[in-house]
Amino acid sequence: MAVPSQEEDDWDDFGSLADDYGYEEDEYDQPYRPPRSSSRKKKRSKKDAPIADLGKRFLGAIIDGFVYFMAYFLPAFLFGMFAAMNDIDIDSNMPMLVVLVVLGLGSAFGLQVFLLATRSQTIGKIVVNTCIYDYDSGRPATWGKTVGVRLILNQLISFLPFYGLVDILFILSDEHRCLHDRLANTYVVDLS
């Protein structure tokens, strides 16, 4: 039995043309064939990145909720304290309070969108060291999936009765993927 040369062994690392281009090996076999395309979709495997456990996902969601709570509560609290200290009628200045609360919530939402678009993470995910990955490529998800599907589309669908409950119950599956993860074709990984 002949031992393959080093040159033949090197080409075997690239895979076969039948896999890459649909050709049969005998039909199109030459030593100068191109390597396997890097844009080809790769199936995710467990070794790519560990799936975040339920505890980390829950804690990240709690932290994100706390960020929005503080964005609402802090402007309202500071306005109330200012009004009390300066003997200002709160009822007559209600539009100012609404503007402050909207600015607080808008800035928190804007920060979360920016982080999702640039890092595939929210503030809660940064704190617990998790990240949103694309299910097919095994890489951080694109802004279209994180912002467009997971955030905006998920919020629009959440007006359906019982959607929130169904979405949360999907996390009990083997891969800990909520319904919004499945809609966006993403999963959350543990970076630690």
Side-chain angles (χ1 to χ4, degrees):
M1 182 162 202
V3 176
S5 69
Q6 180 63 35
E7 192 174 296
E8 290 174 1
D9 275 348
D10 289 344
W11 280 109
D12 285 341
D13 291 339
F14 291 115
S16 70
L17 284 175
D19 289 342
D20 289 343
Y21 304 106
Y23 296 115
E24 295 297 324
E25 286 293 330
D26 296 336
E27 181 184 339
Y28 191 76
D29 188 25
Q30 57 173 292
Y32 302 107
R33 64 183 180 224
R36 194 178 282 266
S37 171
S38 63
S39 65
R40 190 179 167 123
K41 282 190 174 181
K42 174 182 111 171
K43 291 294 180 193
R44 191 183 74 77
S45 66
K46 296 283 185 184
K47 67 180 181 180
D48 289 339
I51 296 172
D53 64 5
L54 293 176
K56 279 196 167 191
R57 291 204 61 181
F58 181 70
L59 184 58
I62 293 293
I63 293 169
D64 286 335
F66 183 73
V67 166
Y68 284 114
F69 172 75
M70 289 307 294
Y72 169 79
F73 177 76
L74 198 58
F77 177 76
L78 291 177
F79 180 78
M81 291 296 291
F82 179 77
M85 290 171 58
N86 295 314
D87 200 28
I88 297 174
D89 182 30
I90 293 178
D91 292 335
S92 63
N93 289 305
M94 191 58 71
M96 174 70 96
L97 176 62
V98 170
V99 167
L100 289 173
V101 169
V102 168
L103 284 176
L105 288 173
S107 61
F109 182 76
L111 178 61
Q112 295 283 50
V113 167
F114 174 76
L115 291 172
L116 280 170
T118 58
R119 298 178 56 152
S120 296
Q121 293 177 301
T122 60
I123 294 171
K125 285 178 176 50
I126 291 170
V127 171
V128 298
N129 206 19
T130 59
C131 185
I132 302 167
Y133 272 38
D134 183 88
Y135 192 76
D136 291 330
S137 70
R139 296 179 153 175
T142 61
W143 69 271
K145 287 188 175 191
T146 57
V147 175
V149 179
R150 284 180 57 107
L151 184 67
I152 296 172
L153 181 65
N154 190 48
Q155 290 301 316
L156 293 174
I157 296 173
S158 68
F159 290 110
L160 295 174
F162 302 110
Y163 172 76
L165 178 63
V166 173
D167 184 30
I168 291 170
L169 289 177
F170 265 81
I171 202 165
L172 300 175
S173 66
D174 291 342
E175 293 180 314
H176 302 305
R177 293 175 67 203
C178 293
L179 187 54
H180 63 267
D181 291 316
R182 293 173 191 275
L183 289 173
N185 201 26
T186 58
Y187 66 110
V188 178
V189 299
D190 188 350
L191 298 177
S192 55

